[in-house]
């Protein structure tokens, strides 16, 4: 119950982020709906087919479809309230990766997978929808940019398994891990923090 | 039987569309075959893995493989008859999305999925092969362009479920829905009809 | 046993190729790890979900995860020894496609699929990781370039099934088929051999 709530909140956040990017690209209404859809279900679809949950979960639960359609209509109608498009997009996308990281970890745990695999699954669930959105909208995909993105998901996942030793209540664990992802990304972008790159091989030429 | 015929006709149409794009890019013979293959089976592969039909259908039925190889040889041999490449490409691609929309809906019905999910499945089956073809050939993917593309598939799908109340014979329903997709796209491109975009948020800056 | 060794060697080769491309793009350490991961498991993931091996094999065997992490650390530490980045990349990528072609064919055989399907599966297993690596790193994907790439995998696959009539020991068959892929690509790139393109349709205009 609690867990499905997180999944639906993530769906709303990603659907809205999809609407914002698609409207920015002046897509027609069906195009906007399709991008909202792909952004919201992309990560979960990849997760489900890799684990073997088929038909994939959003196909078996109409709640997701209705939530995406409603979020799309909401975001279109109130687009003038979302004045600063880039800031709104950043916020909804960040909430989305926080929630979906946790949802992906949970799916891995239910399938009895190793913690490292669960973290990988959480990171993929969180990142794949946004990456697909950006590729379809011809934007530079979020993970190409200099910002911390997938790294926040990985750290959130590590936090989950580190705290599991001390905390019994899984719901708290989920909330903390999701918040870690969101806070890391917010702080990183706000203060322009990024990890150093591994330097280019010395003496290498652009041969 | 009737249904498999639609699937094979769609395979032929998409394989030829793949050959046309790949030859236009001056690919070598194996490259042309691979693009024909990916275009023809891409949509069905996505559909099958999302629903859980595995190994995916074209892997279990050699008819598809032989049809793709034959279509490729045919299209290469008669390439001078397909004089106006862009027009031929447009036609075969349009026939392909019409047929595959219907095939995707049928797969959803067999899996007992909700009508809205069936429409989504039909649209994905129809669009994914062409999108992958364009990405691999470094073309602007069909759904980025200002034309009506996925929208035609969605309307075709809605037509199918709207008419199901009045028409008993599923074969007629399939034919009508497929024709709706094809006719909408033909008319839209012929008369340069496109849906209006949802306007950019007022006062927004390219910040 | 022998077969798993090939799979792990392919994983190492592709992980290192991913590290080289990602470092060249000045990614941060987590970015480098993610690209190494995606390159190494991309092909196998596509293969497994198409055949229906789920959860996909690398999720059920931590060896792959540890091998990828170790290869990444190794490649980062010894990056100065891999002086000529492009040459190293080419070599590891080529070893990777040779090994993964064979691994893909084996998966197809175990699933009881037709030889042509096994060859297609081998080619996809070999090519998909590198293509994804290049798309995520914003490079021109290997199969767009004028070089022989997927063609080498197809010829290696054909060799496997041609020799199966004469050779009993499957391990030798695997080694020969993998070497055929590697040698064809090495020779093709060394001597700048490429297949001729199918000529553009006569009289066609860039309409």
């Amino acid at each position: 119950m609690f867990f499905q709530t997180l999944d639906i909140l993530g769906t709303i956040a990603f659907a809205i982020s999809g609407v914002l990017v698609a409207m920015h690209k002046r897509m027609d209404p069906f195009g906007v709906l399709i991008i909202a859809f792909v952004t919201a279900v992309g990560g979960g679809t990849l997760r489900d087919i890799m684990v073997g949950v088929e038909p994939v979960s959003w196909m078996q639960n109409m709640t997701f479809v209705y939530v995406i359609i409603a979020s799309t209509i909401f975001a279109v109608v109130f687009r003038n309230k979302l004045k600063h498009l880039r800031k709104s997009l950043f916020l909804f996308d960040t909430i989305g990766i926080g929630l979906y990281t946790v949802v992906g970890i949970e799916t891995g745990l239910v399938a009895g997978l190793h913690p490292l695999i669960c973290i990988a699954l959480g990171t993929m669930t969180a990142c794949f929808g946004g990456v697909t959105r950006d590729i379809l909208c011809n934007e530079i995909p979020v993970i190409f940019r200099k910002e911390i993105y997938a790294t926040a998901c990985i750290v959130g996942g590590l936090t989950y398994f580190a705290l599991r030793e001390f905390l019994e209540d899984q719901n708290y664990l989920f909330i903390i891990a999701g918040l870690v992802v969101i806070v890391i990304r917010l702080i990183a972008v706000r203060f322009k923090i990024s990890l150093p790159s591994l330097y280019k091989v010395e003496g290498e030429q652009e041969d």
Side-chain angles (χ1 to χ4, degrees), chain A:
Chain A
M1 195 62 216
F2 166 79
F3 176 67
Q4 217 204 338
T5 310
L6 291 189
D7 203 356
I8 286 172
L9 289 176
T11 304
I12 295 172
F14 269 130
I16 292 176
S17 87
V19 170
L20 295 176
V21 176
M23 283 201 306
H24 189 72
K25 289 282 162 179
R26 296 182 168 275
M27 289 202 178
D28 67 43
F30 278 102
V32 171
L33 181 62
I34 288 171
I35 299 298
F37 216 92
V38 170
T39 312
V41 306
T45 301
L46 180 64
R47 178 197 66 217
D48 287 350
I49 62 179
M50 288 179 78
V51 172
V53 178
E54 286 155 351
V56 296
S57 48
W58 64 267
M59 286 189 167
Q60 303 194 72
N61 185 343
M62 289 307 290
T63 313
F64 291 103
V65 176
Y66 297 141
V67 159
I68 293 168
I69 294 173
S71 304
T72 302
I73 294 171
F74 172 87
V76 168
V77 169
F78 292 100
R79 64 187 181 275
N80 287 323
K81 302 289 175 197
L82 304 165
K83 273 256 165 68
H84 299 288
L85 202 56
R86 299 249 160 164
K87 270 189 193 158
S88 306
L89 168 60
F90 166 68
L91 196 68
F92 283 105
D93 189 70
T94 299
I95 295 170
I97 62 166
L99 292 165
Y100 272 17
T101 300
V102 163
V103 173
I105 290 171
E106 154 79 5
T107 307
L109 290 172
V110 168
L113 300 171
H114 187 281
L116 284 180
I117 302 291
C118 294
I119 294 173
L121 211 48
T123 305
M124 287 185 296
T125 307
C127 298
F128 191 71
V131 169
T132 311
R133 173 197 66 210
D134 292 347
I135 290 176
L136 287 180
C137 290
N138 230 356
E139 290 275 322
I140 301 171
V142 279
I143 56 163
F144 288 179
R145 300 172 204 161
K146 288 277 165 230
E147 297 162 5
I148 281 180
Y149 194 79
T151 304
C153 304
I154 295 174
V155 176
L158 291 170
T159 307
Y160 178 91
F161 287 102
L163 291 185
R164 203 170 53 159
E165 312 295 315
F166 313 105
L167 222 81
E168 293 254 325
D169 189 329
Q170 217 186 20
N171 289 358
Y172 281 117
L173 278 173
F174 282 148
I175 292 173
I176 293 169
L179 282 177
V180 165
V181 177
I182 293 170
V183 168
I184 286 179
R185 182 152 158 77
L186 286 178
I187 290 175
V189 169
R190 175 72 187 79
F191 296 102
K192 305 202 173 173
I193 297 164
S194 61
L195 295 178
S197 76
L198 297 165
Y199 294 101
K200 234 169 157 178
V201 178
E202 282 171 52
E204 190 219 347
Q205 304 290 328
E206 292 285 335
D207 54 346

